[in-house]
Amino acid sequence: MNNLTTAEKVRRTLKKRYQREKRFAIYGFLSILFCFLFLGIFLMGIFRMGWHAFLETRIRLTVYFDPQFVSPYNIEESDYEAVLARTLLTVFPDTRTRQEKKELNKLLSPGAVEVIRSFAKAHPEVVGSSAELWLPAGDGIDMVKKGVISPEKALQAGLVTEKNLKRFEQLENENRVSVSFNWRFFTSGDSNNPSTAGIGGAIVGSFYLVLVTITLSFPLGTGAAIYLEECARRSKFKDFIDININNLTAVPSIIFGLIGLAIFLNFFHLPRSSPLVGGLVLSLMTIPVIVIASRSALSSVPPSIREAALSVGASKIQTIFHHVVPLALPGMLTGAIVGMARAIGETAPLLMVGMVAFIVDIPKKLTDPSTALPVQIYLWSDQPERAFAGKAAAAIIVLLLFMILMNGAAIWLRKKYESKFM
């Protein structure tokens, strides 16, 4: 063995090296495969739980707008619950006792009252006449119709009664039942009843949060990055700032919530549960991410660009804003949007500033009480009713789509400005 030449020794070990490289490639491929497998299982589980929340069962009934209950002079506050009860009794006249009437009302969702009210407000001339309306079915009937739960299990769980199942079969035989897209899920706010609960308020609240966060964090973050990377001289103070910016990215998000609680609520007395305070807290959390991403993008610009600009007489500021920043812009935008996507999925800091409250109304301005999509998911996942689990899963799907759109926008902006400035 000692008499072998170096070439012969290398040749003998070559096979083992190739085998090690092959094993390494297989391990890497298996790691990626397992990641996709677990991601697929997660997504399939979420879609299996939440798909039915995007659909709703509706029942077509002839509603008589009795002037006894609906006043043309007070359309908004008329007694539409009595109108709905009278409509159901017209279809099922054999209902006699108070208990039977109460059971019959569960055939439809409480949201049916709002449908009737909205129709009357849009068509005030309907008072004293009848109209055919598609009204949302009750929770139990809706879940049985969509196949989420079998009729037997729904009966055992007390979600439906045997009489209501028979009544529903009768309506199906009369072609009065349909399953359609649940638009109300996106336009209504939170509710105690799963059939009327929606993510409209959470979507608007999340939009306001993003608006406040991007308005504050992007100019501050990119401005700080440009100063630290291009203008600030090397000193111990700059090193101190660098270290602390890097450390801020590792601070747990709940700490930012506590800071927001102490400063914005207790000291400045800004409105609690408002998107304004939530956006300020998320800005504190996002700025370090934007600073680091922007500095990385600025440092990747070749020094020859700066030297060429300075050699033809450009000032320091002209060199930065006319040559360096445009070249670094794709990376800066990508970092900002990725930071925003991370912030919009955060729940803990929003809990600390009161955005976990039960809020039914959709916010109209930045200081109105509001909630956000991650908080809404947290609230619904804590509810005991089975239908809320589907609502929470559907809200997760919407949040994932929102984050995919934001990441897609980051990729699009990077490609666009790369082709423009490169």
Side-chain angles (χ1 to χ4, degrees):
M1 186 72 180
N2 293 332
N3 296 328
L4 295 176
T5 64
T6 304
E8 288 172 336
K9 289 179 181 176
V10 169
R11 199 176 299 114
R12 287 194 172 191
T13 60
L14 201 58
K15 187 177 179 182
K16 291 183 179 178
R17 287 168 54 191
Y18 285 152
Q19 285 176 344
R20 282 199 294 269
E21 289 175 4
K22 198 173 180 180
R23 283 200 297 273
F24 180 76
I26 290 173
Y27 293 152
F29 177 75
L30 287 176
S31 301
I32 294 171
L33 192 64
F34 274 115
C35 288
F36 276 104
L37 181 65
F38 288 126
L39 181 64
I41 292 172
F42 166 73
L43 291 177
M44 283 176 64
I46 292 294
F47 275 98
R48 190 173 59 82
M49 286 179 62
W51 67 267
H52 55 84
F54 296 110
L55 301 174
E56 71 171 350
T57 305
R58 298 189 302 167
I59 300 172
R60 179 168 53 85
L61 295 175
T62 303
V63 179
Y64 176 60
F65 291 83
D66 194 335
Q68 181 184 351
F69 305 120
V70 183
S71 169
Y73 305 106
N74 192 7
I75 292 284
E76 176 67 30
E77 297 180 3
S78 295
D79 190 358
Y80 295 101
E81 291 184 1
V83 173
L84 182 62
R86 181 67 61 86
T87 302
L88 287 170
L89 286 173
T90 305
V91 181
F92 302 102
D94 57 336
T95 309
R96 304 290 181 194
T97 65
R98 185 176 179 181
Q99 184 63 29
E100 286 178 338
K101 291 177 182 176
K102 192 175 177 182
E103 177 189 344
L104 177 61
N105 288 338
K106 291 183 179 178
L107 190 65
L108 293 174
S109 160
V113 174
E114 292 305 317
V115 174
I116 297 173
R117 188 196 308 276
S118 300
F119 185 83
K121 285 167 67 178
H123 306 87
E125 70 280 2
V126 79
V127 178
S129 60
S130 301
E132 282 201 336
L133 298 179
W134 286 97
L135 304 175
D139 284 337
I141 293 293
D142 181 53
M143 292 171 73
V144 169
K145 175 61 180 174
K146 290 185 291 192
V148 179
I149 188 170
S150 65
E152 294 77 16
K153 288 186 177 178
L155 284 170
Q156 289 175 0
L159 295 172
V160 293
T161 60
E162 200 166 344
K163 277 189 176 179
N164 273 352
L165 278 178
K166 287 180 179 175
R167 289 165 179 151
F168 185 68
E169 284 179 13
Q170 177 188 332
L171 293 168
E172 273 192 306
N173 294 332
E174 295 172 1
N175 293 323
R176 292 188 177 196
V177 176
S178 74
V179 177
S180 58
F181 190 77
N182 187 5
W183 291 106
R184 291 189 305 118
F185 180 65
F186 294 93
T187 56
S188 57
D190 199 5
S191 171
N192 284 324
N193 193 302
S195 63
T196 55
I199 57 172
I203 288 177
V204 176
S206 295
F207 171 75
Y208 284 146
L209 279 177
V210 171
L211 188 66
V212 173
T213 307
I214 196 72
T215 303
L216 292 174
S217 60
F218 184 70
L220 288 176
T222 52
I226 291 170
Y227 173 76
L228 290 171
E229 194 64 30
E230 300 293 330
C231 302
R233 292 183 180 178
R234 185 69 184 268
S235 65
K236 289 185 179 177
F237 179 71
K238 180 174 177 290
D239 293 340
F240 176 76
I241 296 293
D242 289 345
I243 291 169
N244 281 284
I245 288 174
N246 290 328
N247 288 337
L248 279 174
T249 57
V251 172
S253 57
I254 190 119
I255 302 297
F256 289 99
L258 289 170
I259 294 171
L261 175 66
I263 297 176
F264 302 126
L265 295 184
N266 294 342
F267 186 76
F268 288 107
H269 301 290
L270 293 177
R272 194 178 183 84
S273 307
S274 66
L276 177 63
V277 175
L280 287 170
V281 173
L282 293 182
S283 298
L284 293 178
M285 205 177 68
T286 310
I287 284 174
V289 178
I290 295 178
V291 171
I292 291 174
S294 299
R295 290 189 68 182
S296 176
L298 289 166
S299 63
S300 66
V301 177
S304 57
I305 300 291
R306 299 174 180 81
E307 293 165 2
L310 293 170
S311 66
V312 296
S315 65
K316 180 80 173 175
I317 296 299
Q318 286 175 327
T319 302
I320 293 170
F321 287 100
H322 293 180
H323 301 279
V324 178
V325 171
L327 288 171
L329 196 58
M332 295 166 77
L333 288 173
T334 303
I337 295 177
V338 170
M340 289 299 306
R342 179 201 164 196
I344 202 64
E346 285 288 348
T347 306
L350 301 180
L351 300 182
M352 300 306 299
V353 294
M355 294 193 76
V356 72
F358 175 73
I359 297 164
V360 177
D361 297 328
I362 295 176
K364 300 289 190 302
K365 54 183 185 291
L366 293 176
T367 53
D368 284 348
S370 173
T371 185
L373 273 174
V375 180
Q376 192 65 74
I377 293 165
Y378 168 75
L379 288 171
W380 283 347
S381 62
D382 203 34
Q383 295 291 327
E385 289 90 347
R386 182 169 180 162
F388 272 119
K391 294 276 183 180
I396 291 173
I397 294 170
V398 174
L399 181 61
L400 286 174
L401 289 175
F402 191 60
M403 296 178 78
I404 289 171
L405 280 175
M406 290 191 72
N407 284 289
I411 295 169
W412 179 77
L413 285 171
R414 187 175 66 229
K415 295 288 183 188
K416 180 181 178 182
Y417 285 101
E418 273 180 356
S419 60
K420 186 175 179 179
F421 293 113
M422 293 296 180

